[in-house]
Amino acid sequence: RHPLLHKRQQLTWREMQFHEIRDHVRQEIQQRAEEGAEVSAWRDRLKDLDENHPDDESAWRSAFDGLYDGSYVAPNADAEPSSLDAILALLPEPAADLPVAETDIADRMLGAWLGRIAGCVLGKPVEGRPRNYVDLYLSLVGETELTDYFPMPDPFPEQLDGTWLTNPNISGCTRPNIRIAERDDDIDYTIIGLHYIEKYGPGFTTENVAQEWQTLLPFGQVFTAERVAYRNIVNGLEPPLTATYRNPFREWIGAQIRADAFGYVNAGRPLDAAKIAYRDASLSHTANGIYGEMWAAAMIASAFSLDDPQAAIEAGLACIPPSSRLASAIRGALDWCVEYPIWQECWERAQAEYGHYHWVHTINNAVWVVLALMYGQKDFGKTISIAVRCGNDTDCNGATAGSVIGAMLGARAIPDKWTRDFNNTVRSYVMGFDNSRITDLAERTVKQYRRLRKHDAKA
């Protein structure tokens, strides 16, 4: 309660708000450009703010309010709609249901969970880093390939920024420090997705998701679009406004990393997985942000039935608008995977096309998942390693690629070195789920898969 301390705290909070406003102005202008809007006047205004008013809070707030005056409509909204009915109307031939071998479902479900967790843990130490940083890390520790978890060198090489790794939550994802699967939002969302199904059944609503976020997720552990949506929920807004009100991150990767549980419980039914994923995604995202979650959920659902990564990718692709930027990027990536013999060459081609996207965007990261699955050749370690070595949102991409290949191969086919040190335990910030046994999560998911099958058979 000391007056001077209180004043410093107020200034710090205000500085944080000002930083957020400046960032949102930049990201909103970029988002509109990606949507095909004319933003030259806004880019000129941003340049003036940067050069002449960098510390003028009132000038930045004026730009912020001007961007969000309610008049903007995305020019490509017809080709990239955000309502489920409009999305489904654009699908020329939605993915069909696929047979699931019931004798394998438990092993495949555990494989999916373990694959997601392993891919996440592998990517966490280099999250947000570009590909050249990942390669430099490997070279400085004397490794040419990523065939195991990143080592924690001692001392840490001066050429690398090791401050990120001082966090015990991160260093616990490096060898020889792994004793448990550390907490990460990529895993939190899979866990809470399972919770929605357990609590509400297959008919859960977007409003149910909003309520569970407030009840079970700490606000400080959600980011970008999820943080904006969470704040909008608390301020009394309802879906879909929670996703659109002052949200420049509406097409970033946050929804795509929330897809997995909806694919798991709809194993073999990609379109149903995509439809359920929509209810989750539309709380915080629009257009390609939504499609990312629908694609990932459908792809994962199909992986329980298919034996070919490309077929799973295409099953997911069949559940999103073919005219969308995400669909175009995925189709392009599939073509390049055929054209280029090694993944590094394909990465160079894709980076030239999609490198302008923010490292947390849906589209570029989805392309890295495609590369990992295609060049991984159904080898678990190779698949998650390529996903991470591509850079950008490495824990997200490792997790999604791991989920797909884990569901396709099953737990018994995952080499023990990727899972043994978790000691069957995963940390989580989702209330009531910390220190969950991974096998228990998989068993609970199988139960919900069977519950949904029984529900549909009665219907």
Side-chain angles (χ1 to χ4, degrees), residues 186-258:
D186 293 82
I187 308 305
D188 286 343
Y189 286 123
T190 311
I191 288 172
I192 202 170
L194 171 61
H195 168 74
Y196 305 151
I197 302 292
E198 289 182 324
K199 183 172 181 177
Y200 299 104
F204 76 87
T205 66
T206 307
E207 289 75 14
N208 294 148
V209 176
Q211 179 60 48
E212 296 306 310
W213 279 19
Q214 294 177 86
T215 304
L216 300 179
L217 277 180
F219 175 76
Q221 297 303 321
V222 299
F223 309 99
T224 63
E226 284 72 24
R227 180 165 292 190
V228 174
Y230 201 134
R231 182 162 53 206
N232 287 339
I233 295 164
V234 173
N235 286 335
L237 301 183
E238 298 180 354
L241 197 56
T242 50
T244 58
Y245 184 72
R246 302 194 169 195
N247 184 3
F249 313 114
R250 54 191 176 269
E251 289 193 317
W252 286 21
I253 200 174
Q256 187 165 291
I257 71 173
R258 299 177 353 225

Side-chain angles (χ1 to χ4, degrees), residues 341-405:
I342 61 174
W343 74 264
Q344 291 91 338
E345 292 178 352
C346 189
W347 183 94
E348 294 287 353
R349 177 66 181 86
Q351 177 68 7
E353 188 74 22
Y354 302 112
H356 65 281
Y357 283 110
H358 193 281
W359 69 267
V360 192
H361 203 279
T362 295
I363 291 175
N364 50 345
N365 285 292
V367 168
W368 306 145
V369 171
V370 171
L371 264 62
L373 291 168
M374 293 293 289
Y375 287 97
Q377 300 175 319
K378 291 181 62 181
D379 179 293
F380 179 82
K382 190 175 180 181
T383 298
I384 62 173
S385 295
I386 292 173
V388 170
R389 289 190 64 190
C390 284
N392 290 2
D393 212 337
T394 51
D395 59 332
C396 296
N397 299 336
T400 299
S403 196
V404 174
I405 198 65

Side-chain angles (χ1 to χ4, degrees), residues 166-179:
T166 60
N167 182 339
N169 181 242
I170 309 302
S171 64
C173 296
T174 59
R175 68 179 202 265
N177 304 312
I178 300 172
R179 302 288 183 272

